[in-house]
Amino acid sequence: MCLDLMEFLYSVMEALSNAGVPIVFKGAMVLNLAIRDNNPSKVERATRDIDGDWIGEFPTMEEMEKALRNAVKEVDSSLDVQANRTFGERKSAGFKIVNGRGEKISSIDLSVRQNRFCKPYVSYVNGISITGASLSKMLSDKIYAISGENVCRRMKDVLDIYVISFITKIDTDELCKIWSETGRELGNFEGYKTRIAELGEAYTKMKGIKNKPDFVDVYSRVNDVICELERQKELETPRKEKQR
């Protein structure tokens, strides 16, 4: 593979977009495009995966695998795609990109669900437009992910919230709208508020981060986001009760 991994993955996303495959991309690959020309935090998180939502008609695993294989081989004919997890309720479809020796190069995870909270992004490799989740959608997913008890396994989401908070306003109404439409109910952030030492340990173990900030700075800024969200929700509650 002559391209570096990130360029290769963006090229695959471009090929999928050009072929009209109905995927809304998300995750670090999209976030890196969103902050490419505007990143006050200076933080960049490398990734080895493509994540997305398959939003077209209900697919078979074979249809998804064929679409991915065609895109991968268009970029590098020596590589192939293998399915390793069938999608189901609350479970994404999993695929891996492998070389001629069967060694894993990268992963592709695709949830099968609608996602209307999206926008076009321009890939820097060949300047091709791809459809990716909006910043509000990414932020809603990541805040939801850290609101429960498994927060120590979601430090990448904590760091991404930190980065996103520098480039977009925290729009509580928009976030609540997304959570309502996607059927998600936030946890109480108890784990985030009380398991600070464990979060710090998990953060220390994170690799592949350019300009990695101090944990205290990340924790404090994300905690401010949570507090503002809770404050806005408290202000909204009396208003909604009056309207009833």
Side-chain angles (χ1 to χ4, degrees):
M1 189 169 66
C2 56
L3 296 174
D4 73 32
L5 181 59
M6 293 286 281
E7 288 186 356
F8 166 72
L9 294 178
Y10 281 122
S11 296
V12 170
M13 292 163 68
E14 291 175 351
L16 288 165
S17 297
N18 278 341
V21 179
I23 296 175
V24 174
F25 297 101
K26 57 188 182 181
M29 294 295 293
V30 175
L31 180 56
N32 285 339
L33 288 182
I35 65 175
R36 185 168 175 80
D37 298 318
N38 176 30
N39 183 12
S41 75
K42 307 298 183 187
V43 179
E44 295 178 29
R45 180 169 68 83
T47 182
R48 299 180 60 86
D49 307 313
I50 293 174
D51 291 305
D53 292 328
W54 184 287
I55 62 170
E57 293 184 8
F58 202 77
T60 64
M61 285 293 295
E62 290 74 19
E63 289 170 338
M64 299 169 82
E65 185 175 349
K66 181 180 178 181
L68 296 176
R69 178 175 292 113
N70 288 343
V72 166
K73 286 192 170 295
E74 182 179 324
V75 179
D76 189 330
S77 61
S78 71
L79 302 179
D80 199 4
V81 170
Q82 298 175 355
N84 57 8
R85 185 178 62 251
T86 302
F87 68 87
E89 187 176 356
R90 301 196 176 195
K91 186 171 70 170
S92 62
F95 304 87
K96 60 182 179 179
I97 302 172
V98 296
N99 62 21
R101 297 184 298 276
E103 298 166 334
K104 177 182 168 184
I105 302 297
S106 180
S107 296
I108 303 177
D109 288 333
L110 296 176
S111 300
V112 178
R113 60 187 174 198
Q114 296 305 305
N115 181 355
R116 71 177 190 84
F117 301 98
C118 54
K119 58 168 285 187
Y121 295 86
V122 177
S123 169
Y124 68 85
V125 179
N126 295 300
I128 292 171
S129 178
I130 67 170
T131 302
S134 68
L135 283 174
S136 290
K137 180 63 167 67
M138 284 192 278
L139 191 58
S140 75
D141 289 344
K142 294 176 184 301
I143 291 175
Y144 172 78
I146 71 166
S147 70
E149 284 303 307
N150 290 327
V151 62
C152 292
R153 289 188 283 179
R154 308 300 309 192
M155 279 309 302
K156 65 177 185 177
D157 294 307
V158 173
L159 183 61
D160 287 349
I161 293 169
Y162 172 85
V163 173
I164 294 172
S165 72
F166 282 91
I167 59 173
T168 189
K169 176 179 175 291
I170 308 300
D171 188 333
T172 306
D173 289 341
E174 177 70 6
L175 293 174
C176 289
K177 181 179 179 182
I178 296 171
W179 290 320
S180 177
E181 282 202 24
T182 54
R184 286 177 163 176
E185 187 172 340
L186 287 185
N188 59 10
F189 298 100
E190 188 66 21
Y192 189 84
K193 295 173 182 176
T194 61
R195 300 170 66 182
I196 301 174
E198 292 174 69
L199 289 168
E201 290 173 9
Y203 183 74
T204 301
K205 294 176 182 176
M206 291 180 71
K207 307 296 182 186
I209 301 167
K210 184 178 178 181
N211 299 318
K212 188 177 182 180
D214 290 340
F215 170 71
V216 172
D217 294 335
V218 174
Y219 182 89
S220 298
R221 190 174 182 93
V222 173
N223 191 60
D224 287 344
V225 170
I226 292 170
C227 290
E228 176 62 18
L229 179 65
E230 291 177 328
R231 188 182 73 83
Q232 290 294 332
K233 287 184 75 174
E234 287 175 4
L235 290 174
E236 280 293 314
T237 301
R239 240 183 273 165
K240 289 178 180 178
E241 289 177 349
K242 284 182 182 178
Q243 293 171 357
R244 288 175 183 170

